């Protein structure tokens, strides 16, 4: 295929990617296809026991093609690659200082794949398709910081392309490195089966499928070690664990499997899902958290559970989603206006009738109380509580 035809193919793929990410409600569920088309994402999520969907099949197809056509996805499909190639063609006239750098992307792949086996793929989020995906959630940002975080991944890639040319694609990108490794495996078996090869002449076939170097063994060991440590940190976070969107898996696995792609943020009509700015520590940075500042998790909506490309959020139907416990509401009687005014906002707001006035013998007073068997932490009560910044009723993560 000529360079001109290849350019046309890449432009069509870029256009399709943009169409997938535009907020059209009739195909909002399909936005995960773009990220799942990454063979790196597909392989690691399968190892971690994540979601297998239509996009995952596409990712496997691209992985098989990479066995015979090295970096085929990068050269013909990747929309981010086209954007970066365009920018790097106008880069600053700086010497390619990175030519002597080791292939960092290869070690990122081994670290992530090894961690995925234990359920915590550490660098799964480092995929340019997820960065592009997240950039399209900027219109849902509720403040400047959230907007900056949404665009940060693509901005960093563009700056690298402008100042250092192909540094990201050639040395760091785990998606490109995955294709290189698959291409090496394909070349090995092609040479192994080829008549008249070195082996048929009594010699050793040239090279291994994947060279077993000391650095690769260190990367695999590091991936396994980091995975165990990260899961222990997640298990230790109980009292200060943030609220996660409905369908979220256990906290000790969630921060590893989440891609920070912004799909759940973009699809939430109530705008209660936000990127984490540090509440769950560095491991959870930019992962989705739920805050009930102005609205609640609507009982007629399960959009966020249908768009997660990795399985960090399980796909739930509406009935399952309404049974999923995000957290539990609790009343601070020292702040509650009941008894001082005729306020009963939380009682009327609760769609599950989980809040009723209860008599407290110790205080010899009545206050709104929450039935833990009915409350799923939807946040309707917290959103309407009129006590200002310090809410009298707050939803907190329920400790297991």
């Amino acid at each position: 295929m000529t360079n001109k035809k290849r350019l046309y193919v890449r432009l069509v793929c870029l256009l399709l990617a943009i169409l997938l990410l535009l907020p059209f409600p009739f195909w909002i569920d399909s936005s995960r296809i773009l990220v799942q088309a990454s063979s790196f994402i597909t392989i690691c999520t399968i190892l971690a026991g994540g979601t297998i969907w239509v996009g995952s099949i596409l990712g496997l197809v691209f992985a098989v093609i990479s066995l015979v056509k090295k970096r085929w996805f990068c050269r013909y499909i990747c929309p981010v690659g086209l954007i970066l190639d365009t920018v790097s063609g106008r880069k600053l006239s700086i010497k390619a200082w990175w030519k002597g750098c080791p292939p960092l992307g290869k070690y990122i792949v081994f670290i992530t794949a090894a961690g995925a086996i234990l359920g915590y793929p550490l660098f799964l989020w480092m995929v340019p398709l997820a960065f592009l995906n997240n950039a399209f959630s900027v219109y849902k940002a509720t403040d400047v910081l959230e907007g900056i975080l949404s665009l940060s991944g693509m901005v960093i890639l563009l700056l690298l392309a402008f100042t250092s040319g192909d540094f990201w694609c050639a040395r760091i990108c785990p998606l490109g490195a995955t294709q290189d490794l698959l291409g090496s495996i394909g070349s090995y078996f092609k040479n192994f089966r080829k008549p008249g090869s070195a082996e048929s002449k009594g010699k050793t076939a040239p090279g291994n499928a994947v060279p077993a170097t000391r650095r690769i063994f260190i990367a695999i060991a590091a991936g396994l070690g980091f995975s165990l440590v990260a899961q222990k940190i997640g298990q230790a976070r109980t009292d200060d664990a943030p609220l996660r969107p409905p369908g979220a898996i256990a906290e000790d696995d969630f921060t590893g499997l989440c891609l920070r792609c912004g799909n759940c943020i973009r699809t939430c009509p109530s705008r209660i899902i936000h990127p984490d700015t540090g509440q769950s520590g560095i491991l959870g940075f930019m992962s989705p958290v739920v805050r009930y500042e102005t609205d609640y998790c609507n009982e007629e909506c399960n959009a966020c559970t249908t768009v997660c490309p990795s399985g960090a959020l399980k796909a739930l139907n509406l009935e399952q989603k309404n049974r999923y416990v995000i957290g539990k509401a609790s009343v601070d009687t020292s702040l509650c206006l009941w008894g001082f005014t005729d306020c009963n906002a939380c009682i009327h707001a609760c769609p599950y009738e989980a809040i009723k006035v209860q008599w407290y013998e110790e205080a010899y007073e009545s206050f709104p109380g929450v039935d833990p068997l009915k409350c799923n932490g939807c946040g309707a009560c917290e959103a309407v509580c009129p006590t200002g910044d310090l809410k009298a009723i707050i939803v907190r993560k329920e400790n297991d």
Side-chain angles (χ1 to χ4, degrees):
M1 185 180 289
T2 63
N3 287 336
K4 191 172 184 180
K5 289 182 179 178
R6 185 164 70 91
L7 177 60
Y8 290 150
V9 171
R10 298 180 80 188
L11 286 171
V12 169
C13 291
L14 176 60
L15 179 61
L16 288 174
I18 292 172
L19 288 175
L20 278 175
L21 296 175
L22 290 177
F24 298 132
F26 48 85
W27 64 27
I28 197 72
D29 291 0
S30 301
S31 60
R32 56 180 169 180
I33 291 178
L34 176 64
V35 179
Q36 287 179 322
S38 161
S39 53
F40 172 66
I41 295 291
T42 299
I43 292 170
C44 289
T45 51
I46 289 174
L47 290 174
T51 298
I52 305 296
W53 198 62
V54 175
S56 305
I57 297 172
L58 195 60
L60 289 174
V61 170
F62 290 145
V64 171
I65 295 174
S66 297
L67 290 170
V68 293
K69 295 286 186 180
K70 197 176 249 189
R71 291 236 175 189
W72 182 86
F73 185 88
C74 296
R75 298 182 68 234
Y76 291 96
I77 305 296
C78 184
V80 179
L82 175 59
I83 296 171
L84 298 185
D85 284 349
T86 303
V87 173
S88 64
R90 293 162 174 75
K91 66 180 183 296
L92 298 174
S93 56
I94 299 175
K95 185 178 178 181
W97 54 269
W98 50 267
K99 291 292 185 181
C101 290
L104 301 176
K106 180 172 68 175
Y107 304 120
I108 291 172
V109 171
F110 282 113
I111 290 172
T112 306
I117 295 172
L118 297 181
Y120 200 96
L122 189 65
F123 296 117
L124 193 64
W125 53 270
M126 279 188 66
V127 175
L129 299 179
F131 295 159
L132 178 64
N133 218 63
N134 198 22
F136 275 78
S137 64
V138 66
Y139 73 94
K140 281 294 186 81
T142 57
D143 55 43
V144 174
L145 178 58
E146 287 189 12
I148 292 172
L149 290 177
S150 297
L151 296 171
S152 60
M154 281 303 299
V155 169
I156 290 171
L157 294 189
L158 291 171
L159 288 173
L160 280 175
F162 186 66
T163 59
S164 304
D166 296 331
F167 178 46
W168 168 267
C169 293
R171 291 292 186 271
I172 301 178
C173 180
L175 174 54
T178 300
Q179 294 174 79
D180 286 340
L181 291 168
L182 291 170
S184 298
I185 293 171
S187 297
Y188 172 78
F189 284 103
K190 183 179 179 182
N191 291 332
F192 186 80
R193 295 170 58 89
K194 187 176 179 181
S197 64
E199 190 169 273
S200 66
K201 298 176 183 178
K203 299 178 181 178
T204 304
N208 299 315
V210 178
T213 66
R214 186 191 309 172
R215 288 180 180 178
I216 289 177
F217 282 120
I218 292 173
I220 293 172
L224 295 172
F226 285 142
S227 176
L228 290 172
V229 171
Q231 287 174 324
K232 289 295 183 184
I233 292 174
Q235 291 169 1
R237 285 192 173 276
T238 53
D239 296 335
D240 59 345
L243 298 177
R244 299 294 185 186
I249 61 176
E251 183 71 16
D252 52 333
D253 293 326
F254 180 84
T255 53
L257 205 54
C258 175
L259 299 174
R260 283 73 168 169
C261 66
N263 273 1
C264 55
I265 295 173
R266 192 165 59 252
T267 58
C268 180
S270 300
R271 296 198 174 197
I272 60 171
I273 305 178
H274 307 268
D276 184 9
T277 55
Q279 185 180 352
S280 57
I282 191 166
L283 291 176
F285 186 65
M286 287 184 64
S287 60
V289 295
V290 170
R291 295 200 300 267
Y292 301 121
E293 295 166 346
T294 58
D295 212 338
Y296 74 106
C297 187
N298 194 291
E299 65 275 15
E300 299 297 329
C301 175
N302 65 335
C304 63
T305 74
T306 67
V307 296
C308 181
S310 68
L313 300 179
K314 295 178 182 177
L316 304 175
N317 61 38
L318 203 56
E319 183 182 354
Q320 291 170 326
K321 176 260 178 181
N322 286 332
R323 289 202 306 264
Y324 180 90
V325 178
I326 300 172
K328 293 292 184 183
S330 60
V331 179
D332 185 342
T333 56
S334 66
L335 295 173
C336 184
L337 299 178
W338 178 268
F340 300 99
T341 69
D342 57 355
C343 177
N344 56 7
C346 58
I347 297 173
H348 286 296
C350 181
Y352 303 99
E353 298 182 347
I355 305 175
K356 296 185 183 300
V357 176
Q358 299 177 3
W359 176 260
Y360 292 87
E361 190 66 35
E362 300 82 3
Y364 209 72
E365 287 184 272
S366 62
F367 286 101
V370 180
D371 184 347
L373 297 179
K374 292 182 178 180
C375 178
N376 67 0
C378 74
C381 54
E382 182 175 339
V384 299
C385 182
T387 57
D389 293 337
L390 291 176
K391 300 284 188 176
I393 187 165
I394 296 176
V395 178
R396 293 183 174 87
K397 190 76 171 179
E398 187 180 36
N399 297 338
D400 296 330

